[in-house]
Amino acid sequence: MMWCTSKVLPARARRMALLGLSFAALPCRSGPANSAIEHTAPIASHETLHYGVEWRLIRAGIARVTWSPALGNTFHGTLQLQSVGMVSKLYKVNDNYTVRLVEELCADDIFLKAVEGKRNRETKITFDRKNAKAHYVERDLVKNTTVLAKETDVPACVQDIVAGLYRMRTLRLEPGQSATIPVTDGKKFANAKVEAQERENVKTPTGTHKTIRHEAYIFNGVLYGRNARCLVWLSDDARRTPVRIQVRLRFLIGTITLTLEKEERS
């Protein structure tokens, strides 16, 4: 019965999985609300994290996140998300997201190529730091038309949803602490709260990890209107590796869970 609306739900599940994984993709500095919060520097080495995506107890996809320091104070991050198994047969997804950060790890440009079923779209977001603007352009490559072009006011230094919400990795928040992070998706800007909640043990294919569960408050009208919660379990060690991510939505869509399956560093 859950597949009776398969043309709709896998697409929504894909978007929520992409959004959930974005909370664990790139490390950034932050200006926390609590001055006692510790900071660590962004990861200086090459890092690739592999995740399995589960939706309604079904393996729905795989995701790979790569973080690469570049020349000077620039960094590159990529996020690749693909559907697998039954979901892929019903609604094939192949999304590739790239972000470039400059200087204080401020977003400079973003590119998303999304192939979902019969849809083939390309989104570009560029940031004009001098004039504090984000320029968003989304194109339908099948129809060769512009779906949306928008300019949004943002701070001179702002993070995209990938880099910004992953600041929690360098903040080293302890349970009870929180921080506010300026983020944008190119269409809207918000100061999003990230809160450390509880210590928990999480079992993954990479082992059993001692973690701290965090919640990122970007749904429910903050940055996105959908009624949902986003939880991120970071390893309770120096690296603060995201070992599990969940986006919990209403029953119709359900919970999207991303679990760390493999780590590569050099």
Side-chain angles (χ1 to χ4, degrees), residues 193-260:
K193 178 183 176 181
V194 175
E195 177 184 57
Q197 296 177 338
E198 301 287 343
R199 281 187 164 84
E200 296 179 0
N201 289 334
V202 174
K203 186 176 181 180
T204 78
T206 60
T208 299
H209 303 268
K210 295 183 181 298
T211 73
I212 299 177
R213 187 187 73 234
H214 295 66
E215 183 161 3
Y217 295 89
I218 63 167
F219 290 107
N220 306 309
V222 178
L223 191 62
Y224 301 98
R226 188 177 294 277
N227 184 4
R229 296 179 66 191
C230 177
L231 302 175
V232 181
W233 285 260
L234 301 181
S235 61
D236 191 8
D237 55 23
R239 297 198 66 86
R240 286 298 202 264
T241 303
V243 299
R244 177 184 290 167
I245 306 143
Q246 281 189 344
V247 178
R248 298 178 179 177
L249 299 108
R250 291 181 180 273
F251 176 76
L252 181 63
I253 299 179
T255 297
I256 311 297
T257 302
L258 298 100
T259 302
L260 183 66

Side-chain angles (χ1 to χ4, degrees), residues 74-140:
T74 64
F75 295 84
H76 290 98
T78 63
L79 167 59
Q80 297 173 301
L81 181 64
Q82 294 180 322
S83 57
V84 298
M86 184 182 298
V87 171
S88 188
K89 292 179 180 179
L90 292 169
Y91 196 92
K92 190 172 183 178
V93 170
N94 186 2
D95 289 354
N96 290 275
Y97 180 102
T98 302
V99 59
R100 186 169 73 98
L101 307 173
V102 296
E103 296 179 351
E104 293 296 314
L105 296 181
C106 307
D108 188 54
D109 59 63
I110 297 167
F111 179 78
L112 170 64
K113 179 69 181 297
V115 179
E116 304 161 3
K118 296 181 179 180
R119 290 164 51 114
N120 186 351
R121 294 194 176 181
E122 183 179 275
T123 301
K124 295 181 180 180
I125 307 171
T126 57
F127 295 87
D128 181 350
R129 296 184 62 192
K130 181 178 180 181
N131 296 303
K133 300 285 185 180
H135 301 279
Y136 178 100
V137 178
E138 181 180 350
R139 289 188 54 77
D140 185 325

Side-chain angles (χ1 to χ4, degrees), residues 2-211:
M2 63 178 280
W3 295 108
C4 64
T5 54
S6 61
K7 292 184 178 180
V8 177
L9 291 185
R12 290 181 179 176
R14 191 284 309 172
R15 293 186 182 94
M16 293 304 103
L18 179 64
L19 187 57
L21 186 60
S22 72
F23 304 149
L26 301 175
C28 299
R29 291 188 177 91
S30 168
N34 187 336
S35 60
I37 294 173
E38 296 182 19
H39 289 263
T40 58
I43 295 174
S45 60
H46 179 92
E47 177 185 73
T48 300
L49 304 177
H50 300 260
Y51 294 86
V53 182
E54 182 182 280
W55 173 53
R56 291 180 177 266
L57 303 179
I58 294 175
R59 186 173 177 84
I62 55 175
R64 184 175 67 183
V65 182
T66 301
W67 164 259
S68 302
L71 295 176
N73 294 320
T74 64
F75 295 84
H76 290 98
T78 63
L79 167 59
Q80 297 173 301
L81 181 64
Q82 294 180 322
S83 57
V84 298
M86 184 182 298
V87 171
S88 188
K89 292 179 180 179
L90 292 169
Y91 196 92
K92 190 172 183 178
V93 170
N94 186 2
D95 289 354
N96 290 275
Y97 180 102
T98 302
V99 59
R100 186 169 73 98
L101 307 173
V102 296
E103 296 179 351
E104 293 296 314
L105 296 181
C106 307
D108 188 54
D109 59 63
I110 297 167
F111 179 78
L112 170 64
K113 179 69 181 297
V115 179
E116 304 161 3
K118 296 181 179 180
R119 290 164 51 114
N120 186 351
R121 294 194 176 181
E122 183 179 275
T123 301
K124 295 181 180 180
I125 307 171
T126 57
F127 295 87
D128 181 350
R129 296 184 62 192
K130 181 178 180 181
N131 296 303
K133 300 285 185 180
H135 301 279
Y136 178 100
V137 178
E138 181 180 350
R139 289 188 54 77
D140 185 325
L141 300 183
V142 175
K143 299 179 180 179
N144 194 28
T145 59
T146 298
V147 177
L148 178 65
K150 185 175 182 179
E151 183 179 87
T152 302
D153 292 328
V154 296
C157 182
V158 66
Q159 278 68 46
D160 69 302
I161 194 64
V162 174
L165 291 181
Y166 194 67
R167 285 181 177 183
M168 64 183 75
R169 255 184 104 174
T170 63
L171 286 177
R172 298 186 61 80
L173 298 175
E174 291 292 319
Q177 293 183 315
S178 64
T180 301
I181 302 172
V183 293
T184 183
D185 63 352
K187 296 180 288 186
K188 184 178 179 180
F189 166 76
N191 284 305
K193 178 183 176 181
V194 175
E195 177 184 57
Q197 296 177 338
E198 301 287 343
R199 281 187 164 84
E200 296 179 0
N201 289 334
V202 174
K203 186 176 181 180
T204 78
T206 60
T208 299
H209 303 268
K210 295 183 181 298
T211 73

